[in-house]
Amino acid sequence: MCGRYTLYSEKDDPEIRRIVAAVNQRFDGQLKTGDILPSDLAPVICWNRRHTSHISLELMSWGYQNPFKRGLIINARAETILEKPLFHEDFKQRRCLIPAAGFYEWDAEKKRYLFQADQLLYLAGIYHNFMGSNKFVILTKPPNEAVEAVHNRMPVLIPPTQSEKWFDDLTAAVELTKNDTVPLTGQVTNQARDNTQIRFPLDFES
């Protein structure tokens, strides 16, 4: 699963600053750095063929409305993404990337680990419009060597050099969901980076 990630970085990351500044300028300062929780607004990179540069930076909320019960669906399994009616058209037509300074996973003892890389991470996602606003979910996969001792799932990570293939080539995108080329390091962290509490049921995998 991936139930929380962060835009906060102890390093002065110019890419994070650029993304936050661009979103705040476009959307009147609605975004701040820190932990991102389900239902929060977050920056999302989309492929917009109608735009001259193709790349579009949008502000979306995290989580699809569950069509069967109250709550949000926040993750989708990459292995079955094309088999699920709720997700398959979004994967074919509306793939996106979610910038993150790191993501969290919890072990069996409820210790929280923060996983990061030497550069900004790009989590694979899909999105759709629901009642006039765009919502996204994060794709997950079996863990790589860095994560497997902590949890049995992790976000799909797309290397920046492969972003165009992720957006523009469905066959390549399927293969990229199996990618393990982004090196990660993890550490236990108890630092609270926000005060937001989850207030509704969540479905981590669907």
Side-chain angles (χ1 to χ4, degrees):
M1 75 176 68
C2 178
R4 179 181 295 203
Y5 68 95
T6 186
L7 278 173
Y8 172 86
S9 176
E10 293 178 351
K11 300 179 293 184
D12 183 21
D13 191 315
E15 184 66 8
I16 293 175
R17 285 192 285 106
R18 184 188 69 80
I19 289 172
V20 171
V23 170
N24 282 337
Q25 181 178 22
R26 181 176 175 188
F27 297 98
D28 297 323
Q30 296 185 40
L31 182 69
K32 61 182 179 181
T33 56
D35 285 0
I36 306 295
L37 280 74
S39 82
D40 283 351
L41 290 171
V44 174
I45 301 170
C46 304
W47 185 255
N48 187 344
R49 297 181 188 281
R50 292 173 297 179
H51 195 276
T52 54
S53 65
H54 293 313
I55 297 299
S56 176
L57 186 62
E58 304 292 338
L59 193 62
M60 302 185 188
S61 60
W62 182 11
Y64 284 11
Q65 294 296 318
N66 192 320
F68 305 109
K69 58 184 179 180
R70 180 173 175 264
L72 291 178
I73 297 172
I74 63 172
N75 293 162
R77 288 179 178 267
E79 304 97 304
T80 57
I81 192 74
L82 289 172
E83 301 169 15
K84 299 293 182 71
L86 183 60
F87 302 131
H88 68 82
E89 281 303 316
D90 293 341
F91 184 77
K92 290 177 181 178
Q93 304 293 336
R94 291 174 288 276
R95 296 183 295 277
C96 61
L97 293 175
I98 300 101
F103 65 89
Y104 299 98
E105 298 293 356
W106 283 257
D107 67 12
E109 299 177 353
K110 306 301 183 184
K111 291 180 181 177
R112 185 172 69 173
Y113 288 75
L114 175 63
F115 290 93
Q116 296 178 299
D118 291 335
Q119 58 187 357
L120 189 67
L121 298 174
Y122 291 93
L123 315 184
I126 56 175
Y127 68 98
H128 68 205
N129 188 278
F130 179 79
M131 297 184 67
S133 62
N134 284 330
K135 318 285 186 180
F136 73 91
V137 299
I138 294 172
L139 273 58
T140 66
K141 62 185 287 294
N144 62 17
E145 186 176 351
V147 180
E148 63 183 353
V150 175
H151 202 271
N152 63 357
R153 304 292 295 178
M154 64 172 284
V156 173
L157 305 176
I158 304 298
T161 57
Q162 300 298 309
S163 60
E164 187 168 340
K165 287 184 178 179
W166 168 252
F167 286 126
D168 201 39
D169 187 325
L170 179 60
T171 301
V174 171
E175 290 304 309
L176 283 168
T177 64
K178 308 168 188 176
N179 156 67
D180 272 327
T181 60
V182 179
L184 294 170
T185 58
Q187 61 181 0
V188 176
T189 176
N190 294 315
Q191 181 177 357
R193 300 176 189 268
D194 61 59
N195 296 314
T196 306
Q197 299 296 316
I198 297 175
R199 299 177 295 277
F200 40 79
L202 300 175
D203 286 333
F204 289 98
E205 305 291 345
S206 179

